[in-house]
Amino acid sequence: MIYDTLTTLKTLDAQAQIGLLFLGLFGGLSLVSAGTALYALREQTAADVRGLRRFVADLRAVWIGAVVFWLAWITGASGATFLFAVISFLALREFVTLMQTRRADHRSLALAFFIVLPVQYVLAARQEFDLFTVFIPVYVFLAIPVLSALGGDPLRFLERNAKIQWGVMVCVFGLSHAPALLLLQFPNAHDRGPFLVFFLVIVTVAAQIFEEIASRRLPRRPVARAIDRSFGLRAWFVANLGAAVVGGLMFWITPFKLPQAMVMAFIAGGAGTLGEFVMTALKRDAGVNYWGNSRAITGAVGLLDRVAALCFAAPVFFHSVRWYFQLKN
Amino acid sequence: MTAADALGFVLAAVARLITGAQGHWKGVPPKAEQRIYFANHQSHLDWVLIWATLPSDLRQQTRPIAARDYWTTTPLKHWLTREVFRAVYVERERKEGKIDPLAPLAAALEQGDSLVIFPEGTRSAKGLPQEFKSGLFHLARRFPHVQLIPAWIDNVQRVMPKGEVVPVPILCTVTFGAPCNLQPAETKTAFLARAREAVVALKPGGVAA
């Protein structure tokens, strides 16, 4: 029954499908916002107010994300690439702020921001996916430590370089795979790129939400208490099964068949939630409990928190799709 | 819009893009009262950052101090400080007892303008600020009705270390504290030490190197 409906949806043309998607997205968001506004009118305890404020901040982030997404859709591939490049820039700026860097790293950082970042996105836009894939892991991997060494400061050299490399990998390399997806050409399904990005974003967000719910409902068995008290393997697995179901429900917008869509959703969701977990470890190291506590620590603005999952999910998803379908460009 | 206004707008936008230019008004709201902001000094960008942090109506009446012998040497520097920032020029070389070095500052305050000063007198790249110079004390005594607002500028030295030309995007904040005016019968040393502590107390936690 559901399957029939979804298969019918698959036969619609791209315009009708995108219309449906945005109707669903903005309609749903409007409903949630209206509900929140009504809820805020009720009498509340201080704890409720704090929770509500957090929720409203998250909701606003989702709204911004949805609008950015819609802008990316109407401006086409080049607009979307530019938008993701800007997000990359802001995320890397936040990342570098929170890391201890030294004077001698100045040139490497300038290289990362003003050369590596634009080149990576230009490569994505020009669909040069072979160079796109190796540019950062191969060439930049060498260039950054060379520049740092020329800076002439041996103190904590490996550590400093590792931080910059890692920041570039996550904030630039990882995130640049989202617009790259837009440009992926499938042999028998044209213009599926934007739908794949939509699929990826929804599935990663769904995995995060399910994980939040699952870790509250299921008995907690944290695997790394010092890093995250709520991260447990069972909750993680359940959350990604949830993401797989969401992915399955959206299979009609993708070039995938139903089981393929579910597996891809599981992979993307899993990579995203694990990425978020890794970011939590990083935050603990930098002394931040929540990226958003900007008043206590310079640099914690909260953007990185929100794109972290996507930074990890996008490259894994992109390369899984490319490998599985044997896509050449 | 004049060329100077346009350049000011562009500079503020660039400062936002590179540093985020977040102002945290902890002790006072950003109101258009007459004020002297005093802050730690680590980089040439300090003034631009404070200026970009201020709301645009405050920006128009808040002026920096510029050394006349450096900032008027070329027409461009002179135009930039005079037209864009409306700087108050001071003499660095004190001519033997002739004029009061604070006279230009006093004139600006009498006009009702706000000032931004860096009481260390020079840039200090290493952590905590140096001892404050006495100028702040004299202004505080002569203009008791002007609010003295301490400010801590965080992270700027990482954006553009001495000798580099390309700034690196790193988020910076300016934290404004509660007014720190001269107490009755407070000595110069005590006041300057208290003012310096007020600035240091605003330093955020975290990894600022």
Side-chain angles (χ1 to χ4, degrees):
Chain A
M1 174 48 196
I2 296 175
Y3 183 74
D4 290 341
T5 324
L6 295 178
T7 322
T8 323
L9 286 173
K10 191 160 187 153
T11 57
L12 293 174
D13 69 340
Q15 279 305 323
Q17 285 181 344
I18 205 79
L20 267 179
L21 280 182
F22 280 122
L23 197 70
L25 180 65
F26 286 106
L29 274 177
S30 307
L31 282 182
V32 174
S33 291
T36 314
L38 284 180
Y39 180 81
L41 296 176
R42 289 192 351 192
E43 214 169 304
Q44 293 159 339
T45 63
D48 286 346
V49 171
R50 231 174 296 128
L52 190 68
R53 206 171 288 158
R54 270 285 270 292
F55 182 74
V56 168
D58 284 341
L59 190 63
R60 187 183 305 142
V62 177
W63 265 107
I64 294 173
V67 170
V68 165
F69 206 82
W70 176 74
L71 282 175
W73 168 256
I74 55 171
T75 50
S78 52
T81 311
F82 181 74
L83 272 171
F84 275 105
V86 171
I87 297 174
S88 231
F89 176 88
L90 298 176
L92 186 61
R93 190 176 73 169
E94 193 173 329
F95 185 91
V96 170
T97 306
L98 287 164
M99 296 298 114
Q100 286 253 0
T101 57
R102 290 172 62 82
R103 257 219 64 176
D105 298 325
H106 192 83
R107 302 250 161 107
S108 321
L109 290 173
L111 175 86
F113 276 104
F114 298 118
I115 297 174
V116 174
L117 194 152
V119 168
Q120 176 75 0
Y121 279 91
V122 167
L123 288 175
R126 293 169 53 93
Q127 305 181 36
E128 311 222 15
F129 290 134
D130 288 327
L131 186 53
F132 167 84
T133 309
V134 297
F135 174 62
I136 287 177
V138 177
Y139 299 97
V140 176
F141 182 73
L142 179 65
I144 284 180
V146 166
L147 275 184
S148 278
L150 288 174
D153 181 0
L155 189 68
R156 286 186 282 137
F157 183 77
L158 181 62
E159 189 187 325
R160 278 159 38 211
N161 272 295
K163 281 171 177 167
I164 303 176
Q165 299 275 16
W166 214 77
V168 172
M169 274 305 274
V170 172
C171 303
V172 182
F173 184 77
L175 207 54
S176 68
H177 282 77
L181 268 180
L182 280 173
L183 300 160
L184 216 48
Q185 296 295 333
F186 286 85
N188 48 10
H190 288 293
D191 303 331
R192 286 284 106 176
F195 293 96
L196 275 183
V197 181
F198 192 88
F199 180 84
L200 172 68
V201 173
I202 297 289
V203 160
T204 2
V205 171
Q208 283 173 278
I209 294 172
F210 287 141
E211 197 189 13
E212 181 84 31
I213 297 172
S215 69
R216 272 190 208 157
R217 291 290 154 87
L218 295 175
R220 280 192 183 179
R221 282 191 211 130
V223 281
R225 192 175 290 274
I227 288 172
D228 188 342
R229 257 180 265 170
S230 64
F231 185 84
L233 286 179
R234 195 141 63 124
W236 177 80
F237 191 77
V238 170
N240 294 314
L241 281 183
V245 172
V246 171
L249 289 173
M250 289 198 304
F251 97 96
W252 52 279
I253 62 168
T254 65
F256 311 139
K257 298 194 179 71
L258 182 64
Q260 288 171 342
M262 292 183 75
V263 171
M264 286 296 175
F266 189 90
I267 292 173
T273 38
L274 285 178
E276 207 193 4
F277 176 58
V278 171
M279 276 297 186
T280 314
L282 194 118
K283 283 190 286 191
R284 286 281 177 276
D285 187 21
V288 191
N289 288 324
Y290 166 59
W291 290 119
N293 60 351
S294 56
R295 261 148 213 273
I297 290 174
T298 300
V301 191
L303 174 78
L304 203 49
D305 226 7
R306 300 201 157 112
V307 295
L310 197 58
C311 291
F312 287 90
V316 174
F317 182 73
F318 177 89
H319 287 291
S320 308
V321 170
R322 205 160 164 247
W323 169 79
Y324 185 79
F325 289 94
Q326 300 285 309
L327 301 176
K328 284 287 164 279
N329 55 17
Chain B
M1 191 187 251
T2 64
D5 288 346
L7 183 66
F9 183 78
V10 170
L11 279 176
V14 171
R16 286 237 165 82
L17 182 70
I18 300 281
T19 69
Q22 292 180 310
H24 294 159
W25 298 84
K26 274 198 179 152
V28 283
K31 265 199 325 200
E33 295 170 331
Q34 194 179 14
R35 285 170 176 174
I36 297 174
Y37 301 94
F38 59 100
N40 57 326
H41 198 18
Q42 295 178 306
S43 154
H44 276 317
L45 295 177
D46 282 336
W47 153 251
V48 181
L49 191 67
I50 287 201
W51 183 75
T53 307
L54 295 173
S56 60
D57 51 334
L58 267 68
R59 226 181 265 169
Q60 276 159 21
Q61 47 173 289
T62 308
R63 304 171 64 184
I65 317 292
R68 183 183 295 281
D69 56 272
Y70 181 76
W71 286 105
T72 54
T73 43
T74 65
L76 180 69
K77 275 189 204 164
H78 197 182
W79 181 77
L80 186 75
T81 47
R82 189 188 59 226
E83 298 295 326
V84 181
F85 296 135
R86 301 199 310 122
V88 177
Y89 295 105
V90 292
E91 310 291 342
R92 239 188 315 205
E93 301 291 314
R94 197 173 294 185
K95 288 166 198 139
E96 285 307 307
K98 266 189 188 161
I99 37 164
D100 173 13
L102 292 177
L105 277 64
L109 287 171
E110 273 155 17
Q111 275 179 39
D113 288 330
S114 295
L115 294 178
V116 173
I117 62 178
F118 301 105
E120 293 167 73
T122 178
R123 284 176 287 151
S124 61
K126 296 250 166 7
L128 295 179
Q130 301 166 12
E131 294 302 310
F132 281 4
K133 298 268 170 66
S134 58
L136 187 68
F137 171 75
H138 295 301
L139 290 177
R141 205 174 41 181
R142 275 173 68 181
F143 297 93
H145 61 281
V146 178
Q147 287 197 345
L148 277 87
I149 311 289
W152 178 272
I153 306 174
D154 203 40
N155 256 356
V156 178
Q157 75 287 1
R158 290 176 68 196
V159 173
M160 204 151 95
K162 226 174 185 173
E164 297 288 346
V165 263
V166 182
V168 158
I170 284 180
L171 292 164
C172 302
T173 51
V174 183
T175 313
F176 298 93
C180 170
N181 280 41
L182 189 61
Q183 304 289 324
E186 196 174 15
T187 64
K188 187 168 94 178
T189 336
F191 171 74
L192 290 175
R194 189 165 66 88
R196 184 174 169 276
E197 273 159 30
V199 170
V200 173
L202 296 169
K203 187 179 191 301
V207 289

